[in-house]
Amino acid sequence: EQRERSRRGMKETVSAVPAVAARLPARQIAFVGHETTVLETSCVLALVRGDSLVDELKAGEEGQVLLDRTPFYAEGGGQIGDTGFLTARAGVAFVRDTQAPLPALNLHAAVVREGRLRVGDEVRAEVDRDRREAVTRGHDATHLLHAALRDVVGLHVKQAGSLVNPDRFRFDFSHYAALSDDILAQVEDEVNDVIRQDLPIRTSVMPLDEALRRGALAFFGDRYGDMVRVVEVPGFSMEL
């Protein structure tokens, strides 16, 4: 069922890419979701319904919304996309998912709950903060788990995929045997010990070469630009 949902969602999003990308280069879009989960003012640059660019979405209709600035994180690095609300003077839309079919092109899959949403509208863009924070905690936990596995099991352990939801996360890695209960307990204890220390999480932006030189680990399947964001739990983990 999940594979079918993914295929349907991807097909819907990808079908909109050529029309949107042709008119609106990715460089016009600003992602500010690391700094805030609420933008009081953002502009609707484009609306897509099916394969077509449209001028408006009415109550009950669903489509893709492109904003000039957005706090909504698009699915990536195993972390699912944000949900939330777009509120305009004439309508309210629920954002059920956020995807980036092209780099920096965050598309908001939205259903208009009341009124209408039009191209050119100024909207208040608000991410579901509680959900985002739950997802963020899970994402942090994958970093801690990765470091603990490398510490307890061996440095050959490397991430081979992940999925981070608000209520759970899955972490994939390769090893030559199933882990024993004793090993799993050691890994769990180490992660919980780090959590109890309440260490500060540091984030910084730096050139990719410098980050790798400092020992940052790269995520499986991700493609990185010249400048990267590094997330570090001091003395324990550092990942792109």
Side-chain angles (χ1 to χ4, degrees), residues 14-177:
V14 171
S15 67
V17 172
V20 174
R23 182 179 294 182
L24 298 162
R27 65 176 179 271
Q28 292 182 262
I29 315 305
F31 172 67
V32 295
H34 291 316
E35 294 79 38
T36 184
T37 55
V38 181
L39 266 183
E40 293 297 335
T41 304
S42 185
C43 181
V44 177
L45 295 180
L47 297 170
V48 184
R49 190 163 185 229
D51 295 328
S52 303
L53 284 166
V54 296
D55 292 328
E56 71 174 18
L57 293 173
K58 300 175 183 176
E61 294 182 340
E62 179 172 356
Q64 308 289 333
V65 183
L66 190 66
L67 304 175
D68 65 338
R69 299 189 303 151
T70 179
F72 286 79
Y73 179 87
E75 181 174 337
Q79 181 172 320
I80 61 173
D82 280 337
T83 63
F85 286 91
L86 302 177
T87 305
R89 183 170 296 179
V92 177
F94 170 65
V95 177
R96 64 169 182 81
D97 191 17
T98 309
Q99 297 284 329
L102 294 175
L105 188 73
N106 289 23
L107 289 176
H108 311 78
V111 182
V112 178
R113 290 279 179 85
E114 58 184 72
R116 67 189 183 192
L117 201 61
R118 300 187 117 180
V119 173
D121 278 354
E122 296 289 332
V123 299
R124 183 177 192 268
E126 182 173 7
V127 173
D128 182 336
R129 184 172 177 175
D130 289 343
R131 180 180 179 275
R132 161 80 82 81
E133 289 181 348
V135 173
T136 300
R137 287 192 293 270
H139 204 156
D140 290 341
T142 66
H143 289 213
L144 300 180
L145 179 57
H146 196 181
L149 283 167
R150 288 168 62 83
D151 186 36
V152 175
V153 180
L155 293 177
H156 64 281
V157 170
K158 290 186 179 177
Q159 179 179 340
S162 69
L163 173 67
V164 185
N165 285 320
D167 56 343
R168 60 182 286 271
F169 71 85
R170 188 198 73 237
F171 185 85
D172 308 329
F173 66 97
S174 298
H175 184 49
Y176 53 78

Side-chain angles (χ1 to χ4, degrees), residues 206-217 228 230 238 240:
M206 64 184 71
L208 176 60
D209 290 346
E210 180 182 346
L212 296 176
R213 189 166 59 249
R214 290 190 184 186
L217 298 178
V228 294
V230 178
M238 181 188 295
L240 304 188

